[in-house]
C-alpha cells in the first residue's frame, strides 16, 4: 500500500468510532498537518515573514495610568511595563515635565534606572510625590504613574491607617490608637483630645499609644497627634471618633408636685447614638396618646427632651412613671414620682459673713406650705440637730415656687445642712446635703463691753451647766453656736 493510496488517506483523516457524522473543527487540520515538515521544529526557525510581523508590532502599555502610595523613607520602584519593547526602542523617564533619565543613564542623582527600564527612588520624601511617566521612543507611547507619599506622621487604629479620617466605635469596645512618625530625627509624640493635652503612662507616651478601654460616650471627639521634632512646622494628624452608645437618661425633677384637676408635666432628658425612641410606662403598661395623655419632644441644652402631659389630674394618676429610652445599642430609663406632696427642695445659694451663714432653698408646691424643717450637723458627727419653723405667708396659688431662707451662726468647721417641707398633703423628701465651711476668725484684742463670753453663749444656746472655762471651751468645739435670725417662706414669681 502506498502513501497516496485512497485507503491510507481515509485512515489518516478518519474520525473516532461512533463520531462519523461529527463535524471536525477547522483548527485540527492546522495543528495536525502532516503533509509537510514541521516548520516549528526546523533548525532554520520560523519563516521570515512571521519574524517580520512580530518585529513590526509597535510597543504598547496594558495600563496607561497607574498609582503608587509610599511612606516617607520608603524605597520606591516605578515600572515601565512596555509590551513589544525592541532593541531599537529607548525609554525616557520624566517627573512631570523634568527629564530624569535617558535609557539606562540617569540625569538626576535622586533616581536609578534598572536593567528592565524601571525607575528606583531611594528614601522618598513628600517632595518626591508627583506624576512620573515612561516614554518609549520612537513611537512616543507613555505610561503615567502617580506617586503619592504619605505624611511624615500616621495614626493607626488597631493596625489600620486612619490619619485625618473618622472612625465609629461601639460602647464597650477596646481600641488602640498609635501615632507613628517617619522622620530621620527623634520626635516627642504628644496627644490631645478635643483640644486638651492627654496624659498617658510613661510607656504609652514612649510608644505614642492611646488605649481606649470600655469605650463610652465620653470617648467621642477629636484625637490629635503631634510629632514634636523641634521644627517650626512639626508633623501632625488627627482622627475623629464617633461612639455609638445606649441612651443616657436623666431628669431634674424625680418628684413632681401637682394638684387635683390640674395639668401635670413629667419629663426626661436623654442623649443617644444612634437615634433613640422614648415613651412612658405606668403600672407596667406603655401609655398611648389619648385625651388624657400627650407627648411633646423637644431639644433642651443639647439633650433630647420627652415630656408627658397629663390632663385633669386625679388620684388614680398619682404614682411612679418610667421614662424609657432605647436604641440599637441598648436601653435605659428614669423613674418619676407624681404626687400632691411638695417636691424635693433644691439648694439655691448661700452667703457667709464671719460665723453667720444665710442659706436659700427653692421648693415647688401648688398647695400651701405649712412647715419647714432644717437639719444640720458638724462633719463627722452622727446625729442631726433640727430647727422647725411653723410659719407661712400668703402666696399666689398659680405660682408653685417657694423660697426658704434660713440664717444661723455656727462655730468654725465643716457643716452639713438639709431641709424638707410640708404642705396640706404631707412632707417632701429631704433635700441633698449642702456643705458649709466656717473658717477660723482672727483673734481680736478689743473687748466689747456688751459682748457675751463664748462659754455663756454655749450655755445659753444649749443649756450647758456652769463649769470651768476649760469645760466650756471643750463644749464649744462639739456643739454649734446657733442664733436663729429667722426662717422665712415666701413666694417667688418664676
Amino acid at each position: 500500500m502506498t502513501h497516496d493510496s485512497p485507503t491510507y488517506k481515509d485512515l489518516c483523516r478518519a474520525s473516532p468510532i461512533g463520531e462519523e457524522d461529527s463535524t471536525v473543527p477547522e483548527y485540527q487540520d492546522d495543528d495536525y498537518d502532516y503533509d509537510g515538515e514541521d516548520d516549528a521544529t526546523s533548525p532554520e526557525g520560523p519563516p521570515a515573514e512571521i519574524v517580520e510581523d512580530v518585529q513590526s508590532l509597535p510597543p504598547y502599555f496594558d495600563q496607561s495610568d497607574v498609582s503608587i502610595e509610599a511612606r516617607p523613607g520608603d524605597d520606591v520602584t516605578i515600572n515601565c511595563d512596555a509590551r513589544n519593547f525592541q532593541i531599537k526602542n529607548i525609554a525616557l523617564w520624566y517627573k512631570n515635565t523634568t527629564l530624569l533619565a535617558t535609557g539606562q543613564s540617569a540625569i538626576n542623582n535622586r533616581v536609578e534606572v534598572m536593567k528592565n527600564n524601571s525607575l528606583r527612588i531611594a528614601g522618598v520624601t513628600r517632595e518626591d510625590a508627583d506624576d512620573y511617566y515612561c516614554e518609549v521612543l520612537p513611537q512616543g507611547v507613555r505610561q503615567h504613574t502617580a506617586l503619592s507619599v504619605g505624611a511624615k506622621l500616621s495614626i493607626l487604629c488597631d493596625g489600620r491607617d486612619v490619619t485625618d479620617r473618622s472612625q465609629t466605635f461601639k460602647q464597650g469596645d477596646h481600641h488602640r490608637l498609635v501615632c507613628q512618625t517617619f522622620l530621620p530625627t527623634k520626635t516627642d509624640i504628644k496627644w490631645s483630645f478635643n483640644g486638651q493635652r492627654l496624659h498617658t503612662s510613661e510607656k504609652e507616651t514612649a510608644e505614642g499609644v492611646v488605649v481606649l478601654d470600655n469605650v463610652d460616650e465620653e470617648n467621642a471627639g477629636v484625637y490629635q497627634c503631634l510629632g514634636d521634632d523641634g521644627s517650626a512646622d512639626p508633623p501632625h494628624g488627627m482622627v475623629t471618633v464617633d461612639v455609638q452608645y445606649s441612651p443616657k437618661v436623666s431628669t431634674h425633677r424625680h418628684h413632681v408636685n401637682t394638684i387635683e384637676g390640674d395639668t401635670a408635666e413629667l419629663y426626661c432628658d436623654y442623649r443617644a447614638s444612634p437615634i433613640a425612641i422614648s415613651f412612658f410606662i405606668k403600672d407596667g403598661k406603655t401609655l398611648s396618646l389619648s385625651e388624657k395623655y400627650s407627648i411633646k419632644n423637644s431639644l433642651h441644652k443639647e439633650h433630647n427632651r420627652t415630656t408627658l402631659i397629663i390632663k385633669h389630674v386625679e388620684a388614680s394618676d398619682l404614682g411612679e412613671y418610667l421614662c424609657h429610652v432605647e436604641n440599637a445599642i441598648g436601653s435605659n430609663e428614669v423613674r418619676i414620682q407624681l404626687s400632691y406632696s411638695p417636691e424635693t427642695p433644691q439648694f439655691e445659694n448661700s452667703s457667709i459673713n464671719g460665723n453667720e451663714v444665710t442659706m436659700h432653698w427653692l421648693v415647688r408646691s401648688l398647695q400651701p406650705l405649712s412647715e419647714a424643717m432644717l437639719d444640720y450637723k458638724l462633719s463627722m458627727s452622727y446625729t442631726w440637730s433640727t430647727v422647725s419653723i411653723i410659719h407661712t405667708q400668703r402666696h399666689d396659688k398659680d405660682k408653685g415656687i417657694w423660697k426658704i431662707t434660713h440664717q444661723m451662726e455656727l462655730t468654725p468647721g465643716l457643716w452639713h445642712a438639709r431641709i424638707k417641707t410640708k404642705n396640706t398633703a404631707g412632707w417632701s423628701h429631704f433635700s441633698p446635703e449642702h456643705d458649709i465651711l466656717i473658717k477660723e476668725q482672727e483673734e481680736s484684742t478689743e473687748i466689747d463691753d456688751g459682748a457675751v463670753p463664748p462659754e455663756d453663749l454655749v450655755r445659753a444656746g444649749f443649756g450647758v451647766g456652769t463649769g470651768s472655762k476649760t469645760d466650756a471651751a471643750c463644749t464649744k468645739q462639739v456643739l454649734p453656736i446657733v442664733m436663729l435670725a429667722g426662717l422665712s417662706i415666701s413666694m417667688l414669681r418664676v
Side-chain angles (χ1 to χ4, degrees):
M1 180 180 298
T2 60
H3 286 311
D4 55 354
S5 65
T7 306
Y8 179 81
K9 290 184 179 180
D10 291 342
L11 287 174
C12 289
R13 301 189 180 273
S15 300
I17 297 174
E19 298 184 5
E20 291 81 356
D21 298 331
S22 299
T23 302
V24 178
E26 294 181 2
Y27 66 81
Q28 288 189 354
D29 289 337
D30 296 332
D31 289 351
Y32 298 96
D33 186 2
Y34 294 100
D35 291 339
E37 294 293 330
D38 188 351
D39 294 333
T41 59
S42 173
E44 290 79 17
E49 60 270 16
I50 297 179
V51 174
E52 291 178 0
D53 288 344
V54 172
Q55 292 181 347
S56 64
L57 293 176
Y60 67 94
F61 292 98
D62 289 332
Q63 290 181 292
S64 59
D65 294 280
V66 295
S67 60
I68 297 178
E69 293 184 359
R71 291 180 176 179
D74 286 351
D75 294 339
V76 175
T77 299
I78 307 176
N79 294 323
C80 183
D81 297 324
R83 304 289 186 179
N84 295 335
F85 190 90
Q86 304 296 326
I87 192 170
K88 64 182 180 181
N89 295 122
I90 186 171
L92 304 182
W93 273 105
Y94 289 85
K95 177 185 178 183
N96 207 329
T97 58
T98 303
L99 181 64
L100 298 179
T102 301
Q104 300 292 309
S105 302
I107 298 174
N108 190 304
N109 57 8
R110 286 283 293 119
V111 301
E112 175 187 0
V113 181
M114 314 299 287
K115 290 183 178 181
N116 62 352
N117 292 322
S118 297
L119 187 72
R120 184 177 184 273
I121 308 174
V124 295
T125 66
R126 297 185 69 177
E127 288 71 26
D128 291 318
D130 210 327
D131 174 50
Y132 292 78
Y133 66 87
C134 169
E135 182 177 13
V136 178
L137 298 179
Q139 288 80 4
V141 292
R142 296 179 180 181
Q143 182 183 53
H144 289 262
T145 300
L147 173 62
S148 60
V149 180
K152 300 177 182 179
L153 178 147
S154 293
I155 298 176
L156 305 181
C157 175
D158 304 330
R160 295 176 293 105
D161 193 335
V162 294
T163 311
D164 299 331
R165 300 178 186 175
S166 296
Q167 296 294 297
T168 300
F169 299 156
K170 283 188 178 181
Q171 185 179 29
D173 282 354
H174 171 90
H175 295 282
R176 177 184 172 94
L177 300 178
V178 180
C179 185
Q180 296 179 340
T181 56
F182 306 94
L183 297 170
T185 58
K186 184 178 180 180
T187 57
D188 184 14
I189 300 297
K190 297 177 181 178
W191 279 100
S192 65
F193 174 61
N194 289 337
Q196 300 295 319
R197 179 72 182 274
L198 265 181
H199 298 283
T200 56
S201 67
E202 184 176 346
K203 180 181 179 182
E204 290 175 344
T205 300
E207 297 176 351
V209 175
V210 172
V211 177
L212 301 179
D213 275 323
N214 197 21
V215 170
D216 209 341
E217 174 196 9
E218 59 268 16
N219 298 121
V222 178
Y223 292 81
Q224 293 176 298
C225 176
L226 182 141
D228 190 357
D229 59 353
S231 66
D233 184 23
H236 57 277
M238 59 179 283
V239 57
T240 302
V241 172
D242 181 35
V243 177
Q244 294 186 340
Y245 57 93
S246 59
K248 312 291 184 180
V249 190
S250 63
T251 184
H252 292 291
R253 297 177 66 188
H254 289 274
H255 190 134
V256 175
N257 167 262
T258 188
I259 195 170
E260 187 171 0
D262 203 3
T263 297
E265 294 189 1
L266 287 63
Y267 72 86
C268 68
D269 297 329
Y270 67 90
R271 303 184 308 276
S273 176
I275 192 171
I277 59 173
S278 59
F279 49 88
F280 278 84
I281 301 173
K282 186 178 188 297
D283 299 330
K285 297 180 180 179
T286 300
L287 300 181
S288 302
L289 299 181
S290 63
E291 293 184 1
K292 183 73 172 180
Y293 303 114
S294 61
I295 295 287
K296 179 176 66 176
N297 294 306
S298 59
L299 289 176
H300 180 77
K301 295 181 179 179
E302 299 182 356
H303 287 68
N304 295 290
R305 171 169 288 188
T306 297
T307 303
L308 172 66
I309 302 172
I310 307 173
K311 300 177 182 178
H312 310 298
V313 172
E314 51 191 359
S316 60
D317 295 320
L318 305 181
E320 184 178 78
Y321 290 76
L322 297 180
C323 178
H324 185 91
V325 186
E326 62 183 39
N327 66 2
I329 306 300
S331 64
N332 211 334
E333 59 189 20
V334 67
R335 301 174 184 272
I336 305 172
Q337 193 77 24
L338 181 66
S339 76
Y340 295 150
S341 302
E343 296 186 17
T344 303
Q346 300 294 320
F347 178 79
E348 184 185 30
N349 57 51
S350 65
S351 60
I352 299 176
N353 184 14
N355 284 16
E356 186 178 83
V357 57
T358 303
M359 295 169 284
H360 306 278
W361 282 269
L362 298 178
V363 181
R364 187 188 299 265
S365 176
L366 295 174
Q367 299 84 350
L369 291 182
S370 57
E371 188 175 354
M373 182 179 292
L374 172 70
D375 282 358
Y376 59 95
K377 68 176 181 179
L378 190 61
S379 184
M380 306 302 291
S381 176
Y382 292 103
T383 59
W384 292 90
S385 298
T386 301
V387 176
S388 181
I389 301 296
I390 306 176
H391 177 70
T392 61
Q393 295 181 357
R394 286 189 176 183
H395 62 279
D396 187 343
K397 188 176 181 180
D398 295 332
K399 302 295 181 180
I401 305 294
W402 301 73
K403 184 172 185 177
I404 301 176
T405 299
H406 182 62
Q407 190 177 72
M408 62 195 313
E409 189 171 331
L410 302 172
T411 56
L414 179 62
W415 293 82
H416 308 294
R418 65 183 186 181
I419 196 170
K420 67 177 181 178
T421 60
K422 183 180 181 182
N423 65 8
T424 55
W427 285 96
S428 71
H429 294 291
F430 268 112
S431 67
E433 294 181 17
H434 173 64
D435 295 338
I436 307 163
L437 179 61
I438 304 297
K439 298 181 180 179
E440 293 280 356
Q441 302 297 311
E442 295 182 1
E443 294 184 1
S444 174
T445 56
E446 298 182 2
I447 299 177
D448 186 350
D449 294 339
V452 181
E455 58 269 25
D456 292 339
L457 280 176
V458 174
R459 288 194 295 271
F462 290 89
V464 179
T466 58
S468 65
K469 292 184 178 180
T470 303
D471 293 338
C474 291
T475 305
K476 177 182 177 184
Q477 294 177 4
V478 178
L479 298 177
I481 302 173
V482 182
M483 298 186 66
L484 300 181
L487 185 149
S488 64
I489 304 175
S490 59
M491 286 301 298
L492 290 180
R493 296 183 179 272
V494 294

